Amino acid sequence: MAAVAAGSGTPREEEGPSGEAAAPQPHASTSAPGPRLSRLPLARVKALVKADPDVTLAGQEAIFILARAAELFVETIAKDAYCCAQQGKRKTLQRRDLGKVSLAFG
């Protein structure tokens, strides 16, 4: 990520290990259109987090990390369930495939 030069307020490029200027890293911006970093709606994740009475504050970064973790969890379960379906020589996931996988996590 580009660093800010001391006192000037302008970004400068950091040098890589070989002395060459490193390419600036894209940063997540909520207002600029582009590729979404999270597939789950962050507002919905935030609402779920706020529904917990033990949570008083939740930063935007924490909400993003929770959304991303949930996506990875669902992806892992879906892949494992699909493997169970393939073992049964099927291409369609069934509830029992998800049940077999959830037993492995429990």
Side-chain angles (χ1 to χ4, degrees):
M1 189 177 290
V4 176
S8 69
T10 59
R12 63 177 174 83
E13 292 184 5
E14 295 180 346
E15 290 186 1
S18 63
E20 298 175 4
Q25 301 275 333
H27 62 312
S29 174
T30 55
S31 61
R36 288 183 59 177
L37 299 175
S38 174
R39 292 183 220 150
L40 292 176
L42 297 180
R44 182 70 52 95
V45 174
K46 187 172 185 174
L48 289 170
V49 169
K50 283 188 167 186
D52 185 352
D54 295 335
V55 176
T56 55
L57 292 174
Q60 195 63 26
E61 291 175 347
I63 299 297
F64 174 76
I65 294 297
L66 286 170
R68 190 70 180 115
E71 289 172 13
L72 293 173
F73 177 72
V74 169
E75 182 180 341
T76 301
I77 289 222
K79 284 181 179 179
D80 290 349
Y82 185 68
C83 288
C84 288
Q86 283 183 325
Q87 287 174 354
K89 298 182 177 25
R90 293 178 285 108
K91 292 184 180 179
T92 305
L93 290 181
Q94 295 178 352
R95 187 176 189 165
R96 65 180 180 216
D97 299 323
L98 293 169
K100 288 178 188 176
V101 173
S102 66
L103 291 176
F105 282 99

